[in-house]
Amino acid sequence: MRIDILTLFPESFSYLNSSILKRAQENGLLEINLIDIRDFSLDKHKKCDDYPFGGGAGMLMSAQPIYDAIKSVQDDNSFIVFPSPSGEKFNVDIAKELSKKEHLIFICGHYEGIDQRIIDIFSPLEVSIGDYVLTGGELPTMVIVDCLSRFIDGVISRESLLEESFSSNNLEYPQYTRPADFKGYKVPEVLLSGNHAEIERYRKEQSELITKKRRPDLLEKIKN
Ligand code: 6GU
């Protein structure tokens, strides 16, 4: 999959070039390009924002640089995403859908937002990562790219995907690694027993307890 990220702040994306996503790119499973929207500004000072018509707080990103940046990467297989607090709520189902696309273009808004005509012209998928407002679309873009990348074949192991939180509408059980005793805090006996049926039963029980306590809404979702 190819992902083109259009942003005024390409330097903020180093996270996508570390750890698991770095390896995915080295293995050719994923190609992530950062495109600096400022490079497309036709203004002599490379200006990319302006005051909103009708007044109001702050600045808006102008249509022209974003339009030309999109046109420079868009082809027939492109799917455009615009992270925005006004979008539909991002979740694992959206991540799975996005992971099947051949080419994704992310538009990172900043300041008070972007000129509505970009949305009218390109009809991007608008998604929010939660009920709070961030200063720009850069962090949400990283969240969405990280999450969808895990569903691309070969990026992480199949087992990791199956066991994790939300794949079964349950939160994940607690995990431990060596040593078995850390400052007097002991790993639950059952995990040292080698009895796989018992271990599985214990984990399922823990999973359900934690979900009941923290996210009862997830259990409601299974019933309905
Ligand atoms: Cl996608 N963008 C911004 N700026 N704030 C957000 C968000 C997105 N999702 C939640 N808050």
Side-chain angles (χ1 to χ4, degrees):
M1 164 183 301
R2 178 159 69 99
I3 301 178
D4 290 321
I5 300 172
L6 280 43
T7 173
L8 287 173
F9 303 96
E11 70 280 2
S12 53
F13 285 88
S14 59
Y15 178 78
L16 297 183
N17 238 328
S18 35
S19 185
I20 294 175
L21 295 191
K22 177 182 183 172
R23 200 182 55 211
Q25 290 175 83
E26 287 168 353
N27 292 344
L29 301 170
L30 189 60
E31 175 189 335
I32 301 176
N33 302 308
L34 297 171
I35 288 133
D36 192 338
I37 294 170
R38 203 170 296 283
D39 291 343
F40 292 85
S41 174
L42 297 176
D43 177 79
K44 63 173 180 293
H45 303 296
K46 298 277 171 202
K47 201 169 129 70
C48 291
D49 59 350
D50 216 327
Y51 296 96
F53 279 119
M59 304 290 273
L60 282 182
M61 286 171 71
S62 317
Q64 176 274 316
I66 304 177
Y67 179 92
D68 287 340
I70 293 172
K71 285 294 183 183
S72 78
V73 291
Q74 187 183 35
D75 61 37
D76 292 344
N77 298 316
S78 306
F79 186 88
I80 308 181
V81 183
F82 175 47
S84 151
S86 315
E88 68 177 287
K89 186 87 71 75
F90 183 65
N91 60 26
V92 70
D93 297 322
I94 297 177
K96 283 179 184 168
E97 278 311 305
L98 292 177
S99 74
K100 296 175 194 155
K101 308 284 185 197
E102 199 167 304
H103 180 214
L104 294 176
I105 300 173
F106 284 83
I107 307 166
C108 299
H110 217 87
Y111 315 118
E112 289 304 311
I114 72 175
D115 191 302
Q116 176 64 29
R117 287 164 294 188
I118 291 297
I119 295 161
D120 297 341
I121 293 168
F122 294 102
S123 306
L125 176 69
E126 293 184 72
V127 277
S128 162
I129 62 166
D131 294 339
Y132 40 80
V133 177
L134 302 170
T135 55
E138 282 77 17
L139 285 168
T141 293
M142 282 188 263
V143 168
I144 297 165
V145 167
D146 186 281
C147 184
L148 74 89
S149 296
R150 300 175 70 258
F151 295 105
I152 297 173
D153 264 347
V155 170
I156 59 168
S157 74
R158 251 171 227 288
E159 296 77 49
S160 307
L161 277 183
L162 286 175
E163 285 181 11
E164 72 184 11
S165 298
F166 300 110
S167 60
S168 61
N169 279 319
N170 262 337
L171 302 181
E172 204 173 353
Y173 45 79
Q175 302 213 71
Y176 304 83
T177 184
R178 289 190 294 181
D181 184 332
F182 180 66
K183 298 188 189 294
Y185 290 78
K186 298 197 171 59
V187 172
E189 204 62 45
V190 55
L191 297 178
L192 310 174
S193 69
N195 183 334
H196 292 292
E198 273 302 303
I199 292 172
E200 197 177 326
R201 203 185 56 74
Y202 164 81
R203 286 177 165 166
K204 189 158 178 280
E205 178 188 272
Q206 286 295 313
S207 225
E208 284 168 5
L209 277 174
I210 293 169
T211 310
K212 213 173 276 177
K213 184 157 164 236
R214 294 188 195 152
R215 295 292 306 275
D217 57 301
L218 292 176
L219 298 172
E220 281 304 310
K221 227 163 93 182
I222 309 177
K223 283 189 227 150
N224 299 332

